[in-house]
Amino acid sequence: MAADQHAAEVDPVARILPLLPLPHLDREFDYLMPQELDADARPGVRVRERVAGRLVAGFLLSRIARSDQPGNLGRLARVVSPERVLTDEILALADEVATRYAGTRADVLRLAVPPRHARVEAEEPRGTEPPPPPEVDRTAWDRYRHGENFLDALVAGRAPRAAWQVLPGDDWPRRLAELAALVAAGGRAAVLVVPDQRDLDRVHTACVELAGADPVVGLAAGLGPAERYRRWLAALRGSAR
């Protein structure tokens, strides 16, 4: 890589994953980091780079001191936003999903990371303090074998695993909300996955009743682009646990 006096002084090489559908292009490419983009170019941000003469969307995966690619590097065209939307966890999961289903990371990431909405991104973020401990009906959990032990393990920050068959007449949305609220009160995050909108509405209502509206978001396919990005950012930033 030839030296460039206009490149960033520290880690002047940006390793980029372009969002291209072609399987043979599902790999990282190195670009020279212009000095004027240096401040916002952090791992996980959205960028634009030139591939075969056209601008392509992508994600900045890392910054390195030198590239092992031969010849001169192209210059990174633009940092779309300083918001770090591709975390290590999302990237690792995208790798696993793409490998398992013989797809490309670009296709997975288009679904995993919602399209950017600039106005939403500029809104004042909510606070990230954990919600207070919820009121859990331990008598209801005592009806299940090892139910209270499961609650205690969540409170202690452990990662217990269980298969749970709901008893007839039990308020299953409330029970799920109790589990999630216990996790959130400990400063961690919980994701509850349900099959349809009706169940989502029921679980969302139960979570709000326990933890309040601020720490809770519901994500569904029917949301508009702005609201979907707003709620997704709340989860990403840690304000919705």
Side-chain angles (χ1 to χ4, degrees):
M1 181 189 75
D4 190 314
Q5 61 179 348
H6 301 297
E9 295 181 0
V10 178
D11 293 335
V13 177
R15 187 148 285 174
I16 305 298
L17 176 65
L19 296 182
L20 296 169
L22 301 175
H24 69 280
L25 296 178
D26 184 23
R27 61 184 181 87
E28 294 82 22
F29 293 83
D30 290 348
Y31 288 84
L32 198 65
M33 175 63 63
Q35 198 165 16
E36 62 270 19
L37 302 181
D38 184 32
D40 291 337
R42 300 178 297 162
V45 301
R46 306 178 202 253
V47 295
R48 295 273 184 178
E49 66 281 348
R50 291 197 176 275
V51 178
R54 65 186 183 94
L55 276 178
V56 173
F59 292 106
L60 195 160
L61 300 187
S62 62
R63 298 272 302 268
I64 56 178
R66 294 188 63 83
S67 172
D68 54 6
Q69 293 184 9
N72 293 332
L73 299 181
R75 297 170 67 85
L76 187 65
R78 185 157 69 97
V79 174
V80 176
S81 165
E83 187 79 39
R84 302 177 68 178
V85 293
L86 182 60
T87 64
D88 292 340
E89 293 85 356
I90 295 175
L91 180 60
L93 182 57
D95 284 340
E96 290 187 22
V97 171
T99 299
R100 182 175 179 85
Y101 296 102
T104 66
R105 288 177 294 175
D107 285 340
V108 177
L109 290 173
R110 284 191 185 93
L111 299 175
V113 181
R116 179 176 181 250
H117 198 285
R119 179 176 57 80
V120 170
E121 205 170 84
E123 292 174 353
E124 188 70 23
R126 296 184 292 184
T128 58
E129 288 298 315
E135 295 183 7
V136 177
D137 185 358
R138 284 187 168 264
T139 58
W141 283 103
D142 191 44
R143 298 168 62 195
Y144 298 97
R145 183 182 300 176
H146 306 306
E148 289 205 70
N149 299 60
F150 191 78
L151 297 180
D152 293 337
L154 291 178
V155 172
R158 301 199 296 274
R161 301 174 64 180
W164 175 43
Q165 178 65 49
V166 183
L167 291 172
D170 200 357
D171 186 357
W172 66 266
R174 176 77 180 193
R175 300 286 85 78
L176 285 178
E178 289 171 344
L179 299 178
L182 283 174
V183 172
R188 292 165 292 142
V191 178
L192 300 175
V193 183
V194 292
D196 54 39
Q197 185 66 52
R198 182 182 66 175
D199 289 338
L200 175 61
D201 293 340
R202 294 176 66 186
V203 171
H204 183 269
T205 298
C207 288
V208 170
E209 288 175 353
L210 269 178
D214 286 343
V216 183
V217 291
L219 287 167
L223 294 172
E227 187 58 27
R228 182 190 178 201
Y229 194 52
R230 180 178 293 110
R231 297 185 186 187
W232 188 85
L233 279 181
L236 179 73
R237 294 168 174 173
S239 59
R241 295 183 182 272

